[in-house]
Amino acid sequence: GAVVSQHPSWVICKSGTSVKIECRSLDFQATTMFWYRQFPKQSLMLMATSNEGSKATYEQGVEKDKFLINHASLTLSTLTVTSAHPEDSSFYICSARVAAGGQETQYFGPGTRLLVL
Amino acid sequence: AQSVSQHNHHVILSEAASLELGCNYSYGGTVNLFWYVQYPGQHLQLLLKYFSGDPLVKGIKGFEAEFIKSKFSFNLRKPSVQWSDTAEYFCAMRFGGYNKLIFGAGTRLAVHP
């Protein structure tokens, strides 16, 4: 299957700082990537859809100025958590969309654990 | 609103027992359905998917799922579980012309040797 990587795998930062998370599709090109957030013992919640070369589409309730998404190339999307606060601590997961044979499937990265002190 | 429900939050089985995890969705139109597995400390992996055709879908590691349109269900099954199947299982739906997936809450499966 398609391989998606994320960097870093975990990060600890001070409140008020910004953190950038990278999501890469390693062996394929992805015009669309997705960013999810997963709270402990809960399911994945879609934050935004990232489209190469255009603005991201954010889900209701997600602050676009707080979670900046850039999809500058077909293999890289970045999520920047700006002015992070302790409530932003979470597990952030990206996925990339693969459409082959008319079947569209998402492949997920390993996630980035963010802890804001 | 469109949603996915997984009614079993925690399941505990002994090795060799049969497994069935429930998944129901709410959407009246065409859906694509997926089961993902998340092993401890690892990322989500695709187990199987249904787009159209044969409603009985076979996936990796001996898993299968059956799409029953009349029941809006897509239950995951395995005839004989192993300790290595201990993981969290997520059912997901893609509906209409949208790219995004909607996930169920997940089911934690613990298999005892």
Side-chain angles (χ1 to χ4, degrees), chain A:
Chain A
V3 180
V4 177
S5 71
Q6 279 183 244
H7 178 81
S9 55
W10 59 271
V11 58
I12 302 173
C13 69
K14 293 182 178 180
S15 185
T17 60
S18 294
V19 175
K20 180 185 282 189
I21 303 170
E22 293 185 349
C23 176
R24 294 181 184 274
S25 56
L26 296 187
D27 51 358
F28 65 101
Q29 293 182 329
T31 55
T32 305
M33 291 183 174
F34 303 86
W35 286 96
Y36 293 84
R37 187 170 175 177
Q38 186 179 28
F39 291 99
K41 299 184 179 180
Q42 293 189 32
S43 187
L44 284 77
M45 299 298 295
L46 179 66
M47 298 175 65
T49 302
S50 169
N51 299 297
E52 188 267 336
S54 65
K55 291 183 179 181
T57 304
Y58 290 81
E59 294 300 300
Q60 191 172 9
V62 178
E63 298 176 61
K64 62 180 181 181
D65 295 329
K66 176 131 184 95
F67 298 99
L68 300 179
I69 291 172
N70 185 278
H71 194 155
S73 78
L74 288 172
T75 59
L76 174 64
S77 175
T78 60
L79 168 69
T80 301
V81 183
T82 61
S83 186
H85 291 285
E87 59 266 28
D88 299 323
S89 298
S90 190
F91 193 50
Y92 293 88
I93 304 172
C94 75
S95 72
R97 169 179 168 261
V98 174
Q103 296 190 354
E104 187 176 304
T105 306
Q106 288 187 31
Y107 292 90
F108 288 80
T112 297
R113 193 163 299 281
L114 170 64
L115 177 61
V116 184
L117 302 177

Side-chain angles (χ1 to χ4, degrees), chain A residues 32 34 36 38 40-44 46 49 51 59 91 93 97 102-111, chain B residues 32 34 36 38 41-46 49 51-52 88 90 94 98-106 108:
Chain A
T32 305
F34 303 86
Y36 293 84
Q38 186 179 28
K41 299 184 179 180
Q42 293 189 32
S43 187
L44 284 77
L46 179 66
T49 302
N51 299 297
E59 294 300 300
F91 193 50
I93 304 172
R97 169 179 168 261
Q103 296 190 354
E104 187 176 304
T105 306
Q106 288 187 31
Y107 292 90
F108 288 80
Chain B
N32 303 143
F34 306 81
Y36 285 88
Q38 189 173 31
Q42 296 189 28
H43 63 283
L44 271 81
Q45 298 175 38
L46 180 66
K49 57 187 177 182
F51 280 76
S52 63
E88 187 154 18
F90 293 95
R94 180 175 164 269
Y98 295 99
N99 290 327
K100 62 183 182 183
L101 290 177
I102 295 177
F103 281 85
R108 286 183 180 270

Side-chain angles (χ1 to χ4, degrees), chain B residues 1 3 9-10 15 18-19 29 31 35 45 51-52 58 66 74-75 88 90 92 100 108 111:
Chain B
S3 65
H9 297 295
H10 291 92
E15 275 193 318
S18 64
L19 170 72
V31 294
W35 275 98
Q45 298 175 38
F51 280 76
S52 63
K58 294 191 183 298
E66 184 175 12
F74 190 56
N75 292 355
E88 187 154 18
F90 293 95
K100 62 183 182 183
R108 286 183 180 270
V111 180

Side-chain angles (χ1 to χ4, degrees), chain B residues 61-81:
Chain B
K61 304 185 181 187
F63 286 91
E64 65 179 30
E66 184 175 12
F67 171 57
I68 302 179
K69 189 174 182 179
S70 60
K71 294 185 178 180
F72 298 89
S73 69
F74 190 56
N75 292 355
L76 181 71
R77 299 194 293 249
K78 185 170 184 177
S80 176
V81 295

